[in-house]
Amino acid sequence: MSAQKDSCISSLIFLLFCACSIPRSGSASLQQEPSPQHYFSGLEAGRASLAFFTPSVSPGGQPFLEQIESSAEALQDYGISVVKVDCPKEDLSRYCGKENALRKAFLFRGSRLIREFPTDALFDVNSIVANVLFALLFNEVKYIETLADFENIENVLKGKSNMVFAYVPATGTAEHRAVMEAAFVYGTIHQFVLTTEAALLKATSPEDPDVSSAWLLFCHCQRATEPAQPCRRTALAQPLTLLNIHRHLKLMGAPLVTEVAEDPEKISTVHLQLGLPLVFILSQKETYEADRRTAEFVAWQLLGKAGVALLSRDLVDLNVLHRSNIALKTPDEGMPIQYLVLEDTDEVITLVEDKNKVKQIQEDEQEEEEDEDEKESNNQDIQDDQVVEAVSRDKKRELPLEQILVLTEENFHSSLSEAAQTVVLFYASWEAVSLAVLRSYSEVAAHLKGTPGVLLSRVNCWDWTGLCSQENVTQFPTLRIYKEGQQSVTYGGMWGTEELSSFILLSQVSCPLKLATMDEAEGYLRGEFPSELSSHHHTSLLGVFSTATSEAREAFEEAGNILSGHVRMGMYFEDDALALSQKYSVSPPALLLARSGGRSVEGIALSKHSVQDMVQMIRYELLDVFPEITVPNLPQYLQLRKPFLILFSAGDISQMESKEMLKLAKRRPQQEFVACWLNLKKTPVGHGILRTYFPTTPSLPVLLWVKLQAGGQVFKFPSEQPITEVNILSWLEKLQAGLEIPSSTLSEEDWKPPLPAYDFLQMMEHSMAELSPQPRDTPAEQPPNSPRGDTATQEEPSQESRAEEVGSPGRDLRGTAPRLAARDKQGKRHSEL
Amino acid sequence: LGLALYASSLCAMSGATFLYHDYCVIGAGPAGLQAAYFLQQAGRDYVVFERSHAPGSFFALYPRHRKLISINKQYTGKSNSEFNLRHDWNSLLSHDRRLLFRRYSRDFFPSADTMVRYLEDFASLLKLQIQYNTAIIHVTLEKNEQAWNGHYFILTDQDRKNYKCSSLLVAAGTWVPNVVNFPGSEYVEGYETVSINPEDFAGQTVLILGRGNSAFETAENILGVTNFIHMVSRSRVRLSWATHYVGDLRAINNGLLDTYQLKSLDGLLEGDLEDLAIVKDKKGKLHITLRFYLENRNISAGIDSITLPQDELDNFATRAPYDRVIRCLGWKFDFSIYNRSLRMMPGKGNIKKYPQIKPSYESRGTRGLFVLGTASHSVDFRKSAGGFIHGFRYTTRAVHRLLENRHHGVPWPSTVYPITQLTNSIIKRVNEASGLYQMFSVLADIILLRENATAFEYLEEYPVGVLAELEMQTGRKAHNGLFVIIMEYGRNFSGADKDVFYYNRAVGEAQHAWQSNFLHPVIYYYKRLPTEREMRLRPPEWPLPQPDAIHHIVEDFLTDWTAPNAHILPLRRFLENCLGTDLRNFFAESCFLFAFTHQKLPPSCQQGYVRMQGLVGSQELRHHAVQAGLLQDYTHMDFLGDRPPDSHHGSQEQLRDHGIPVRPLQHLVNAKDE
């Protein structure tokens, strides 16, 4: 937004400088002349100056002198110098001698007097600038009093040029000044007409106008080639300021409809530069004429609000829906172009106006946000880390940690040797994540209380830093299981109570577990053996190997080490292994997968024998075909890096939906997507997802296609269609063909720092002057306090002022923008007075 | 003599019967033993030469009054061994927990005899290679292109035996007493030999030259039995609690300040010892006069002909005669044994007692010669603790690490962490690290960022003076920016003439942390490694050049920087803004939401949740987070309604829910159905 404003301002400045090519004298804004003779002898022909005469022995500061002095700078921009002429005591000439002349200011062009101003007409900077310019632009700006005058001028201008008509409630106001300043720049291009008559305002404005506020109309008389044709009029909707008038005139001057034959992404017009949207009418060769008329019609409606461009689809290869007929490009950078299918022109207009409204609202919000930002920058010290805050809010609660043995440097090794299996949580007592896990760990302890052979313990690495570094614990928290005579196993799963308990339980039995008899193997698949795990209802995995397949068996054992604690793995390699596997119609080496308590056993032949492949394959096989997505299991499916076809359901999904979805999921063994469902009752955070996708929660169940990776589009399955395999497939096909419009897109935003940090460097520099004279790039030979360094800093501002003096149109304009802004502000302040 | 020695060493060289070692260490004092320990641990070929029959021979004699002024804290209320080293100024570093000084003495200020015993145990328990009774009397160079440094060091002992080494570590300490010569200095007794029996001073008037701890220690011993003691030196007294320098006068020795200020006859004077002269009268009393008076006189004419200051100025301060004058002026490095080719030059100004070395502790004159221990104090003289056991035990380790990288291709030890551990790893170190704490503003922890700031490498206790050479000295790469973590006192807080007890001397607010006065952690951020020129041109009083960003962790009364809001939160914000990322932790549920609503995930979700290590969090914790407005509770959602629950409005802002913009056009297309 501010960038647009900048470009706007700088282009305005550019114009200003083009217009006033008159060289400016001196940098001091107010000139002083010792005597009238001196003043008149120095006047250049054609150069305007505003002079006022004061007795050299001043009878005390006249109030208007201050105003004149402050307007000097503003007038200088228009090549008008402001001169204070001292009257020597003895001087009794025309300007100095008379008493009343001292209460007046005189405007000269060259040495010719143009106008005398009584000082009460020059009450502030606005009035001085407005009146002086008004006097100078006598020919360019016509002052009218009746509607007849207005119509006369219109008729004269028809077919020749356009008219800018302004109503100001009074002369000498800020609005008057703005109009005059605009006239100074545009006076040669458009005919400026000014009035203070309320009757004229009422006659030209459509509704009941407010006579106390200024009003500006642009009359397109140049286009009215026939005398009978009226001039179209476009009013300025914003308040009358120089910036707004300039913007308005620029927009009016732009071509009504731009014809483009280029990628809309690359197009930029004056509208976009001024922060207005650009509407593209997508045209085809066959309908070109009609489209052009539509475009012109729309353009007149949107004049001043948006630009209209006519884009021939035949010339540009657009990768959009064929049905689309309108495209909307907004000035916000990074916003993609929207392609739409609209039915009539009203829709286009509402679209733009709504957009503007939305933008207005957004701007308001932004302002609010900015306010909040300001507030928030004071809120830097307010905790915004949910984990840290939650833990510190919970710190007064005493944790039930009696079940958990405290290990120290002294007793660590002795304790490990005492129990067959020791679970150790390494944590730091000051670290929030550690403490959060410690809470779950205490729940695990309560859960597993009385389980034989399990010893839970903890080491506070803040107390025993040596022990932790000895045990190579570099991150907090770390959970390890130490078993006598074996390498310790580090936990790498979710830090939830359930997951931790399951890991500890599964780690009790070796992985893979060697099964000795056929009975054991069958019991294992039913989930009854070993008894320690009978309470554990997870998929069991049994590797069956003939004595000949030792290579596969070794890989399987190695995979077991890696998956230890996460997967229930058994293996069987007795003589009758063949018989066991053939029961499930595979031959060894093979995997038997018993899901949900052995009700279904699946046989998979093992073809790959590398450990990595086997681990990957086991992980893959353990995934469900049509899973219910939950917070803990999502990462497993995320790793497949595929789009999600996800059914959001208020509770359990119905039999029918489940059956259809399952059919779909099973269609091909290697699906390109993850078919899954989400139970909003069990995973309430799903509401948050839906709320982000849709402005209103759609009726449930709702089936969505979410491209989590590339593009991040979200598509919604039409709610009126029943969820059946056939419907979904045809929808997916349409979707793939690009015939569907996404309901939403996942935010692409980066995760930036939520709030700024304290800028100590700046604070230090402010307070300690000795820091600043040490820029990084001082040449080595030059001692830091050398005089050269000093002159360099002095040189800078003088260069700047020189640049301003030059004032040629080619120079960098950016530097002057703040100056204009500053003056604008000043103007505002004066008008408020 | 020098020539003769040189000739003899040449002879020995031609004989080519050298005992060779990769590393030679001169001196088996604390620094020599510490260096030996690290060399031994690394399995290097080294030998330590000790002129005495046992280690720590300096401590066998000094301090004369046997009380060490380095603290030996038994209890800190903490069991963190690294933290406790911050308050153990006597132990050397080792893996052996038996070798902690508090197991040797229960005294807060232990006896020097205990130090000798400790050093003996350190050498024997760790089986360090020490050759006793070997005084190195000459060191020279032998050019050889094959050698590590282009030359070998040839060491000659008192028996003309020669040793050849690739690298020489000088840990010889400063043991040559400083002596001033002025007329009458022959009447002055030295600290080395003066009686330590107070009885010998009974009823005497004593003048002490010098104003260091040895001078005050000597005064303290005899304060009760003398008539009075006067103490004279060039500079004003520097109190260690005002200067924050442990080498200045410690409160334990400052009894004389008390008696001076309470007008109990003892006193302090300032004056240049070079201008002094002492004359002895017939009764054996010593009179102070000025060299100036003596120069015009014939001294042989006897005491009566000499002008004393009181003859002209009858209230001259030291007009009373003294019975004894004692010199306590400290020690200097023994430069005499080094051949000129080694260019072992004394430092300039107040560090002339030390040899000139670089901030890497390598000699300025000779490559491959490193100075360790007290003699290396020129790097941080009157600043940090590099001249004392509790400081140089760490700088010695740093030198060892530099050598390991230089000669054995072992890069500086480092640990690589995911970026989510950044705040934690800094907080852990600033709270416990002892090297950072003792060697404040000299040793620094360095964090080297990996590409895209997804991971970082942590290097401990690197000498900050050679930051520009980091890549070369450590064998680690610093292409993607770095953080430097050091400890600092407030810039204008310490000084001999500063009032360190003024009101509001401590800062409590995190936002004013940069004004902290007491020792506190400071983190410098550089987008690229500072160059040597930038190091040279750094602002005065700055340990480092101006960084791209800086963060001070506010000083803490307990030196416990683990407060979530005052210490950790501002640090996190600083790190986040340097890296341009969001380092907050998120519960698994938040990550789940982000995974479905954002194309990118915050690092905590990326490196935790997505790798199946999400933080599920207990029910209570999630409840607290909801109450804090940092987590949204969706359990009580109205299923059909779509009104946005106002109560959660705040939470969205706090979390800055990067929501997807609503697309009103959708309705346009769907609603119209002609």
Side-chain angles (χ1 to χ4, degrees), chain B residues 170-181:
Chain B
V170 175
T174 57
W175 59 272
V176 180
N178 272 321
V179 180
V180 273
N181 280 310

Side-chain angles (χ1 to χ4, degrees), chain A residues 612-631:
Chain A
Q612 266 317 307
D613 287 341
M614 200 157 320
V615 168
Q616 207 166 2
M617 185 207 134
I618 290 170
R619 284 213 171 114
Y620 184 77
E621 289 301 335
L622 286 174
L623 297 180
D624 279 336
V625 185
F626 177 55
E628 183 201 335
I629 284 293
T630 60
V631 172

Side-chain angles (χ1 to χ4, degrees), chain B residues 492-511:
Chain B
N492 293 310
F493 184 49
S494 312
D497 52 352
K498 298 273 166 64
D499 174 14
V500 285
F501 295 106
Y502 68 89
Y503 274 105
N504 302 322
R505 59 191 170 273
V507 174
E509 305 256 334
Q511 65 200 33

